[in-house]
Amino acid sequence: MPAPFRIVFEQRAETPKYLSALVPLISVLAALVAGALFLTATGYSAMDTYKNMLDDGFLTYRGITETLGLSTVLICTGIAAAFSFQMNLYNIGGEGQLYLGMIGAAWAGLALGPHLPSFVMIPLVLIIGSLAGALWIFVPAFVRARLGTSEIVTTLLLTYVASSLLKHFINTPNSFFRAKNVAFPQGRNVADSAALSPIGDTRLYPTFFVVVALALFLYWLVKKTEFGYRIQVIADSPRAAHYAGVNANKTTIAVMLMSGALAGLGGATLIVGPFARLDQGITLLGYGYAGIVVAALARNNFAGIIVSGILFAGLRVGGEKLQISTDTPKHIGVMMQGAILLFALGGEAFRRYKIRAVRMKAVAQ
Amino acid sequence: MNSNIWLLSFADSVAIATTLILAALGALFTERAGVLNLGIEGMLLTSAITSFLVADSTGSVWAGLLLGIILGAVLAAIHALLTVVLRANQIVSGLALVIFGTGLANFLGKPAEGKTIKTTIEPMSFGPLSDIPGIGPVVFGQDIITYVALAIAVLASWFLFRTRAGLEVRATGDDPATVDAQGLSVATIRIRYTLLGGALVGFGGAFHMLGQSAAWHLEATTNGVGWIALSLVVFAGWRPIRLIFGAILFGFTLQLPFTLQAEQITFIPSALMPMLPYLATLIALIALSRPSSRNILGAPKALGIPFVRDER
């Protein structure tokens, strides 16, 4: 017997403003409720877990400054992902470009650092890190524009190559990047002139403000300039863009290089900030992949990414401390990030479509 | 050169290849139906820990395998619900699944951290056949799952290219509008093969745990095998038989650093060895995407594109 009802999706001509604000909020709440049910089912206290995460991630001085510090790199990889995603280019190799950003920045900090003063070195390290990130996406960008090779796969593959490269630079005896006279292989600290000090007694570095300003600048660039308009036209209709004389190939390459550079910048902020050296621990942290989630939750809105970047950083920081404050495994933090995005993706349908159940008879088959 | 080391390492690469074959076949079925599921890595991890916990508490590897398969299908169902029913972006949904699955697996696995499982899948013995010098251990010294995985791959090839249902799957991935015009439900086909794919990935994850690792290690158990499986599908041009050879090649390259280390061969730095399969895939991918050779690669044309009838 056929189902008496059919679910019908009607595309909304215009999304009401209240829905745009409400849907992400309800998604986050729904994920929290689901998480609470899961915690209770597995025998942990949901109240304690959430309270501790909230305190350690957002409400204490230490917590919030650490969250803002961590959000620096997440906002970077977030705007990196969003910059390409908004043009339907899926650079999911931000993780690898971040590694290259670290390698480039560490090279600059080690090779040039001893010879240059800090006010030259810091910008230089950030720029070289960004260039290294852009370099890492050049081949995917070029073959995507020229041959149509899927950037999803190429950028992903290069992430693994980047990870091997990073480990090679740290593990090879006599490597330029490797610390001397240390039994366990680890990176060599960059020169003092290439390292920033955190603000006060926190783990927040001034790069946070640079990155926030950059996100706001990109918001303006995409909404208000001719370059941003071109990206929108190509994203909406590549054919129309072609007839309007927009050079899609050139824009494709430019957008992807920018995306790679932003992810590379994220890696460089780690070198001038909390890491100060190449560290293969980065390959376990997944900051590059997290950027995609941050961008998706903000629906590629650059100003929104600042908010979602801070939210996700808080979940991580709060999650990390859980094992000290409660007996809940810290991985609930990572799990909640995934859950929030899954719910947000589901909620997105309600924002874009009017979803109704109609009687079968009413639908012409 | 010690030929024993090489034979053993080749037998090892077949074992790694088994996980790869199962996970990549899962991705292949999903993608053939036009759905891109990047969540393989998260699904593998979740199935791995589930199978570990179940096998550890019940003492039965088969119960572990079964639950692992089910968990793979459950996570794939989330992806199908979001992308096929609610038309969410497949790439983002897949990545969300990786993060969710990784968190979930590590959460569930916390009590089992560093623990070794007592019951594992043992290699089969074909009596005297397994003792044939040279090919014996490689061909006849694997466990039953390896032979099952190979059989599934051969069956999958027959199914996709020789049956009507297989044609419908491929058509759904290439040209959903035509499938829809034929009166078939694109959504139903896509959901069905996303779930089947998830079950295969779950099978791979459970095997990886019970057949190879036997110990649960935080954050390192599958070590990127899910991502390699995704590359392997591209490398194999979405064809199951080619996928078998690709998996063995990838498996061999993945454990080659250990063999070279044992042989003290150092002409390629061992840290650079692991990048070879990825570079090979990358070069193959670029070479095959020239317009003249695109058919050799044969990516499903509607891969990753949601099918929306109303908007056409």
Side-chain angles (χ1 to χ4, degrees):
Chain A
M1 201 184 87
F5 288 102
R6 212 188 110 148
I7 307 291
V8 177
F9 286 67
E10 275 173 28
Q11 184 124 31
R12 292 179 195 276
E14 209 173 339
T15 307
K17 269 256 158 33
Y18 75 93
L19 262 185
S20 289
L22 216 58
V23 164
L25 205 67
I26 292 177
S27 305
V28 172
L29 283 178
L32 288 174
V33 171
L37 291 175
F38 175 80
L39 282 169
T40 314
T42 47
Y44 298 99
S45 161
M47 253 338 256
D48 275 4
T49 305
Y50 283 168
K51 193 186 167 309
N52 276 297
M53 278 176 82
L54 194 64
D55 281 350
D56 292 329
F58 298 99
L59 297 183
T60 58
Y61 170 71
R62 229 188 110 99
I64 187 68
T65 50
E66 200 164 315
T67 292
L68 293 179
L70 176 62
S71 75
T72 310
V73 62
L74 295 185
I75 293 171
C76 268
T77 53
I79 54 182
F83 205 78
S84 70
F85 279 36
Q86 61 172 347
M87 208 178 119
N88 298 329
L89 291 167
Y90 292 98
N91 169 22
I92 61 169
E95 183 79 21
Q97 293 135 28
L98 177 104
Y99 300 163
L100 257 287
M102 282 183 84
I103 294 172
W107 175 82
L110 289 169
L112 312 174
H115 314 294
L116 293 166
S118 191
F119 72 93
V120 183
M121 263 324 281
I122 299 294
L124 193 63
V125 168
L126 295 179
I127 288 167
I128 290 180
S130 309
L131 287 177
L135 179 78
W136 204 242
I137 203 178
F138 179 76
V139 170
F142 186 78
V143 296
R144 162 69 214 223
R146 283 302 168 85
L147 303 170
T149 313
S150 162
E151 74 286 3
I152 302 172
V153 186
T154 51
T155 53
L156 182 65
L157 288 170
L158 281 174
T159 295
Y160 282 89
V161 179
S163 148
S164 298
L165 202 63
L166 181 82
K167 288 174 182 161
H168 171 69
F169 283 141
I170 295 171
N171 291 323
T172 313
N174 302 323
S175 159
F176 177 70
F177 295 91
R178 184 171 168 168
K180 306 280 178 286
N181 308 321
V182 185
F184 188 74
Q186 65 174 51
R188 185 151 61 100
N189 273 31
V190 296
D192 288 342
S193 65
L196 286 168
S197 352
I199 297 165
D201 59 347
T202 68
R203 292 176 70 181
L204 174 64
Y205 291 82
T207 41
F208 170 74
F209 302 100
V210 176
V211 168
V212 167
L214 186 61
L216 293 174
F217 168 74
L218 289 177
Y219 181 82
W220 169 83
L221 183 81
V222 168
K223 292 263 150 126
K224 304 278 185 224
T225 67
E226 195 261 333
F227 179 68
Y229 179 71
R230 217 187 313 157
I231 291 174
Q232 291 310 320
V233 172
I234 298 175
D236 289 344
S237 167
R239 207 179 293 168
H242 177 74
Y243 289 120
V246 175
N247 188 334
N249 279 0
K250 240 164 127 182
T251 315
T252 297
I253 294 182
V255 165
M256 286 182 73
L257 289 182
M258 263 296 255
S259 172
L262 290 166
L265 176 67
T269 63
L270 295 175
I271 296 291
V272 299
F275 280 59
R277 57 185 161 87
L278 275 195
D279 185 342
Q280 55 182 334
I282 184 71
T283 57
L284 293 175
L285 296 172
Y287 291 156
Y289 294 120
I292 298 166
V293 182
V294 166
L297 191 64
R299 289 202 306 275
N300 300 335
N301 177 314
F302 292 98
I305 287 170
I306 302 172
V307 179
S308 61
I310 294 173
L311 173 72
F312 273 48
L315 280 173
R316 276 189 177 230
V317 171
E320 282 298 316
K321 298 248 172 73
L322 271 180
Q323 242 142 259
I324 308 163
S325 50
T326 68
D327 60 347
T328 315
K330 63 176 181 179
H331 306 285
I332 188 75
V334 176
M335 224 182 108
M336 289 309 296
Q337 291 173 35
I340 288 175
L341 185 58
L342 290 171
F343 275 97
L345 279 171
E348 182 66 8
F350 295 88
R351 204 181 63 85
R352 272 190 302 161
Y353 303 99
K354 253 190 196 146
I355 302 176
R356 296 185 299 140
V358 287
R359 276 182 195 286
M360 243 356 216
K361 267 182 245 160
V363 186
Q365 270 291 32
Chain B
M1 188 175 281
N2 186 338
S3 64
N4 263 337
I5 292 183
W6 286 93
L7 272 175
L8 278 178
S9 76
F10 195 72
D12 268 357
S13 27
V14 175
I16 301 175
T18 304
T19 307
L20 276 175
I21 289 174
L22 289 169
L25 275 177
L28 188 143
F29 268 113
T30 314
E31 292 180 23
R32 274 287 182 185
V35 177
L36 181 62
N37 185 353
L38 295 180
I40 310 288
E41 179 74 8
M43 294 157 68
L44 278 176
L45 270 170
T46 308
S47 292
I49 187 59
T50 312
S51 68
F52 182 100
L53 294 173
V54 171
D56 195 42
S57 59
T58 63
S60 156
V61 281
W62 309 113
L65 273 179
L66 183 67
L67 260 288
I69 292 170
I70 292 173
L71 252 284
V74 167
L75 288 186
I78 298 178
H79 188 65
L81 171 71
L82 286 176
T83 61
V84 181
V85 181
L86 296 175
R87 301 167 197 182
N89 184 315
Q90 299 183 2
I91 293 164
V92 178
S93 167
L95 286 164
L97 219 50
V98 174
I99 293 175
F100 178 73
T102 311
L104 176 64
N106 283 318
F107 182 95
L108 295 174
K110 199 197 160 210
E113 217 170 289
K115 241 168 109 179
T116 312
I117 199 157
K118 282 166 220 89
T119 44
T120 53
I121 300 165
E122 295 295 329
M124 283 174 84
S125 176
F126 289 85
L129 286 178
S130 306
D131 299 330
I132 302 171
I135 60 164
V138 176
V139 181
F140 299 107
Q142 305 295 336
D143 56 55
I144 185 158
I145 309 295
T146 302
Y147 303 111
V148 171
L150 290 173
I152 294 176
V154 174
L155 265 176
S157 181
W158 170 79
F159 172 78
L160 281 172
F161 297 105
R162 292 278 180 275
T163 68
R164 165 137 193 116
L167 176 69
E168 284 166 10
V169 179
R170 287 186 291 131
T172 309
D174 276 329
D175 190 358
T178 304
V179 173
D180 186 56
Q182 291 279 321
L184 295 162
S185 163
V186 171
T188 308
I189 295 176
R190 287 192 164 172
I191 292 171
R192 194 179 294 155
Y193 289 94
T194 305
L195 291 184
L196 173 70
L200 281 169
V201 173
F203 192 9
F207 167 76
H208 191 75
M209 189 78 248
L210 301 173
Q212 295 176 39
S213 309
W216 174 255
H217 285 298
L218 186 73
E219 277 152 0
T221 295
T222 59
N223 213 356
V225 169
W227 298 112
I228 300 172
L230 283 167
S231 327
L232 179 58
V233 177
V234 181
F235 186 74
W238 288 265
R239 285 170 180 78
I241 300 294
R242 265 195 231 168
L243 190 144
I244 299 176
F245 296 106
I248 294 171
L249 184 70
F250 273 47
F252 187 66
T253 341
L254 280 174
Q255 64 74 49
L256 196 55
F258 304 105
T259 311
L260 291 183
Q261 210 161 27
E263 289 273 12
Q264 300 186 329
I265 298 171
T266 51
F267 66 95
I268 303 175
S270 64
L272 292 181
M273 284 298 303
M275 67 169 68
L276 291 183
Y278 303 104
L279 281 177
T281 311
L282 184 71
I283 291 165
L285 188 61
I286 294 171
L288 291 175
S289 54
R290 291 201 322 274
S292 57
S293 50
R294 211 166 271 168
N295 285 334
I296 303 175
L297 195 65
K301 291 182 190 67
L303 181 59
I305 305 166
F307 175 69
V308 184
R309 187 203 276 156
D310 314 350
E311 287 171 2
R312 265 161 213 271

